[in-house]
Amino acid sequence: MNSEEKITDFKFQHPLRTRWRDSDAFRHINNAVYLSYIEDARIELLRRWGITQDGKSVIVASVKIDYFKQVIHPANLIVGQKVTRIGNKSFDITSVVFNKETNESICKSIITIVCLDFNLNQTIPVYEKIKNDYNI
C-alpha cells in the first residue's frame, strides 16, 4: 500500500532526521512517533499563519493516519503538508511523511483543526492566511 501523493505535490516541506529513541522493540520507528513528526511540521505552518497560544489560536479536533512502510533508524525524512479542506471554523491539513532518499511515502495523515479564540474560549471563522494557503 502507498499514498498516491508525490513529494512534489507539497509546497510546504519539513525535513527531519529520526532519533535513536524513536525506535521501538521491533527496531523500527514506532507508529506513535510519526504524529510527533507531523506535529513538528504543523508548528511551522502555524508560525507562517501567525497562530499563537493566546488569542488567535487553533485546536486539533481529529487525527487520522495510515501507515504504508516501516522506517529503520537512522533515516532522513520529509513531511509534506497542505491545506486540503476549508470549512467555516475548521480546516484539514494533509501530511505525508516521505523517505528523503527514495521519495517513498511512509504514512499519510489528515488532521482536522478548529480555529479558536482562547481568550473568549469560542470557535471562530478560519483565518484568512489559512484560506490563502488552501490547495497551493
Side-chain angles (χ1 to χ4, degrees):
M1 182 160 60
N2 218 355
S3 172
E4 295 179 13
E5 284 91 0
K6 300 178 294 291
I7 197 162
T8 54
D9 294 336
F10 295 90
K11 176 182 176 186
F12 304 109
Q13 297 181 8
H14 180 73
L16 55 91
R17 290 185 48 81
T18 60
R19 303 164 297 197
W20 173 255
R21 71 180 192 157
D22 298 343
S23 300
D24 62 18
F26 297 105
R27 299 178 38 209
H28 60 225
I29 303 303
N30 182 273
N31 64 316
V33 172
Y34 292 98
L35 289 173
S36 293
Y37 295 161
I38 291 164
E39 179 183 47
D40 286 348
R42 187 171 65 248
I43 295 301
E44 293 305 314
L45 282 180
L46 298 181
R47 285 188 184 122
R48 172 184 171 83
W49 298 327
I51 305 295
T52 64
Q53 294 141 325
D54 299 315
K56 181 180 177 182
S57 197
V58 295
I59 55 172
V60 171
S62 173
V63 175
K64 180 184 185 315
I65 189 164
D66 295 314
Y67 302 94
F68 310 122
K69 294 188 176 285
Q70 66 177 338
V71 172
I72 306 297
H73 175 75
N76 292 308
L77 306 175
I78 296 176
V79 181
Q81 311 179 90
K82 59 184 169 182
V83 177
T84 52
R85 184 192 64 82
I86 297 281
N88 293 324
K89 296 181 178 185
S90 67
F91 61 98
D92 290 349
I93 296 177
T94 296
S95 301
V96 177
V97 177
F98 294 94
N99 180 309
K100 185 176 180 180
E101 280 73 36
T102 66
N103 287 337
E104 292 179 300
S105 55
I106 306 302
C107 65
K108 175 181 179 178
S109 76
I110 299 174
I111 299 182
T112 300
I113 300 173
V114 176
C115 293
L116 184 76
D117 184 319
F118 264 97
N119 294 331
L120 300 175
N121 196 28
Q122 291 181 332
T123 59
I124 56 177
V126 174
Y127 306 114
E128 285 303 313
K129 286 185 176 184
I130 296 169
K131 291 178 184 178
N132 293 340
D133 281 345
Y134 179 57
N135 262 339
I136 63 168

